Amino acid sequence: MYTKKIKLIVLALLVIATCQSSYAQVPIKLDDQNLEISGLISTTYNYRWKLDPASTNFSKNKFALGNARFSLAGQKGSDYEYKLQMDLSRLGTQDIAGEAAPLMDAYFTYKKWPVDITAGYTKMPYSRSSLMPIKSLPFWQRPEMARGYLFSRRDIGITLKKKIMNDRINIMAGVYSGQGEYILTALTGGDADRGGKPEYVARVEYSFPGKYHYRDVVDFKHVKKIMGAIGINGRYIKRTETIIDGGDYGMKNLAGTRKLYGFDVAAQYNGFSILFEMHQMHITPVDTLLLYGRNTTFFRAGGIIAQACYYSKKLKSAFLVRYDEFMPNDLRANNYRMANISFAYNYYFNNENTAFRIQYWYRLYKDNTMIDNKFREDQLRAGFQFAF
């Protein structure tokens, strides 16, 4: 039986391997305007080890178009920057939360004042794992805490940014609709929460010895001096209504008051790179059933992310391991938490933007029946990512 499964996986990888890879960004210059056209395509095969041998549902063992992104980014003089990005693979999907939202970016930035002002729909300044660009991710999936199912990764609003000390200190703060990715869907109709109160988000980073970019996940250059960054961030919102779509643990857009705060540390040296994050939620819900009869007005949720990577120039390969853990409600009994150890291998072709990637999730709480099956079944995903 297992021999047959292995043959199916090998066959799937061979089919994917027939694809060809290429990378090119198309710059266009006209008077004082610079426009760059780029995109990203990824194709994967996913396989899950079923917990129940009698199960007949293998719908998650599938080929998938992971991404089909198209991006227009540009500058007008030295005063304006703008970006429009969509993921065409998400058009028509019913799941509009997290990374599944079709519209990824639609914003412009005014840079003439001492503080840069960004207006529109874009990523909110919270969590290094969330802010990393997708083509720089060496795993097929972000950690559970940073996927967009626990807190909104994107929203419409205003973001203020200030860089000092040659970009080594980056200060960001913003105010947003509070609806996150749902603001562009029929679930909200484009309206705010009935309470009309926005979400406030802020982040401060310190990089050393110079600017440490979000794309610096794999140390391709084998830097000879330790480079790193430390970030702290927080967000606050008070909601009147709950939006439930079945995929957000019931807390992403939960009626009540939510405070979320965390920190992250990243560094790289001589081919090695590390990342550590910790996040903590403090939620005072309107729905007291979420308190499970405890003598309290709030519950906590949170988790950690720990990741290590080594890049071999000779092999053009990155080897990674990641641990991520998340507890949705500290009042719920029976050790209700999800934890994964993920292993990943990336082979890079003619440049770092085009890669073959394989990721294996090992679930640590397989025996905990309080957890949904998808967090108890080991999983393998392999495929190619092409940037153009």
Side-chain angles (χ1 to χ4, degrees):
M1 181 177 180
Y2 286 103
T3 302
K4 183 178 180 181
K5 292 179 180 178
I6 292 173
K7 288 181 179 178
L8 288 172
I9 294 172
V10 172
L11 177 61
L13 297 180
L14 289 174
V15 172
I16 296 174
T18 60
C19 300
Q20 300 295 317
S21 65
S22 64
Y23 175 74
Q25 290 180 321
V26 182
I28 301 173
K29 183 174 177 59
L30 179 63
D31 296 329
D32 64 339
Q33 295 197 55
N34 291 284
L35 176 65
E36 187 176 85
I37 303 172
S38 61
L40 182 144
I41 299 173
S42 65
T43 303
T44 64
Y45 178 76
N46 194 79
Y47 182 82
R48 286 185 177 177
W49 278 261
K50 304 299 292 184
L51 288 170
D52 182 4
S55 175
T56 59
N57 184 359
F58 299 93
S59 62
K60 298 300 182 181
N61 297 346
K62 61 180 183 178
F63 285 99
L65 181 62
N67 300 101
R69 296 195 179 191
F70 180 77
S71 176
L72 300 174
Q75 294 179 318
K76 181 175 174 56
S78 59
D79 295 344
Y80 294 94
E81 291 181 353
Y82 54 90
K83 185 174 183 180
L84 176 64
Q85 181 180 205
M86 293 192 67
D87 193 334
L88 303 181
S89 70
R90 307 307 186 197
L91 293 177
T93 181
Q94 296 300 309
D95 183 2
I96 48 76
E99 293 184 317
L103 182 62
M104 313 305 294
D105 293 288
Y107 67 85
F108 69 92
T109 301
Y110 183 66
K111 302 174 68 69
K112 193 172 183 178
W113 290 348
V115 177
D116 293 347
I117 301 177
T118 297
Y121 183 79
T122 186
K123 286 183 182 179
M124 292 182 281
Y126 186 90
S127 171
R128 174 169 285 270
S129 290
S130 175
L131 291 166
M132 290 175 182
I134 192 167
K135 70 179 181 181
S136 299
L137 292 177
F139 290 89
W140 278 121
Q141 187 171 286
R142 298 180 196 270
E144 197 63 28
M145 279 291 296
R147 289 183 61 199
Y149 293 94
L150 309 172
F151 55 81
S152 299
R153 297 185 57 236
R154 289 176 167 86
D155 202 350
I156 298 175
I158 303 293
T159 306
L160 306 180
K161 300 180 181 180
K162 178 66 176 178
K163 298 179 180 180
I164 57 178
M165 293 180 62
N166 294 322
D167 291 354
R168 284 186 293 166
I169 295 181
N170 191 8
I171 304 170
M172 298 169 281
V175 56
Y176 307 91
S177 78
Q179 301 286 48
E181 294 83 2
Y182 299 105
I183 191 65
L184 302 178
T185 72
L187 286 173
T188 65
D191 290 333
D193 176 76
R194 277 194 299 116
K197 295 184 178 180
E199 182 170 15
Y200 304 94
V201 184
R203 177 176 173 84
V204 178
E205 302 170 349
Y206 171 70
S207 302
F208 56 90
K211 175 63 177 177
Y212 196 94
H213 299 277
Y214 294 127
R215 65 175 180 268
D216 294 332
V217 185
V218 178
D219 183 13
F220 294 105
K221 297 179 180 179
H222 279 227
V223 296
K224 300 307 178 184
K225 291 184 178 180
I226 296 177
M227 296 180 59
I230 300 173
I232 57 173
N233 34 222
R235 50 201 298 170
Y236 171 85
I237 187 171
K238 185 174 182 180
R239 296 183 56 84
T240 302
E241 299 174 299
T242 296
I243 299 176
I244 298 177
D245 72 345
D248 59 5
Y249 305 94
M251 68 178 63
K252 178 177 176 179
N253 295 80
L254 180 67
T257 301
R258 184 183 67 185
K259 303 172 186 176
L260 175 58
Y261 44 89
F263 75 93
D264 48 75
V265 179
Q268 58 182 217
Y269 171 71
N270 200 28
F272 291 93
S273 54
I274 60 170
L275 169 68
F276 180 82
E277 290 192 26
M278 179 175 288
H279 302 278
Q280 183 78 52
M281 291 183 182
H282 184 286
I283 304 172
T284 304
V286 171
D287 183 3
T288 57
L289 292 177
L290 295 172
L291 303 177
Y292 293 95
R294 306 295 182 91
N295 185 25
T296 181
T297 60
F298 66 91
F299 68 91
R300 292 187 178 93
I304 61 173
I305 303 163
Q307 177 177 309
C309 172
Y310 176 72
Y311 176 70
S312 169
K313 287 185 176 181
K314 183 178 180 179
L315 300 176
K316 296 197 294 186
S317 300
F319 305 86
L320 300 103
V321 60
R322 182 180 74 197
Y323 174 81
D324 69 292
E325 177 182 301
F326 172 65
M327 177 180 287
N329 191 321
D330 66 338
L331 301 181
R332 188 168 177 175
N334 299 311
N335 194 27
Y336 184 60
R337 66 176 65 190
M338 286 77 81
N340 311 298
I341 297 179
S342 295
F343 302 92
Y345 168 76
N346 287 236
Y347 176 80
Y348 298 91
F349 292 86
N350 44 339
N351 55 61
E352 60 198 52
N353 295 286
T354 306
F356 166 76
R357 177 179 305 125
I358 185 167
Q359 178 179 352
Y360 173 70
W361 289 259
Y362 178 75
R363 311 296 189 181
L364 295 180
Y365 293 102
K366 295 183 178 66
D367 298 329
N368 191 341
T369 57
M370 296 291 292
I371 302 174
D372 187 276
N373 277 354
K374 68 180 179 179
F375 294 108
R376 296 192 291 133
E377 297 171 348
D378 291 349
Q379 183 175 341
L380 177 73
R381 186 175 301 169
F384 285 84
Q385 173 180 292
F386 312 132
F388 60 88

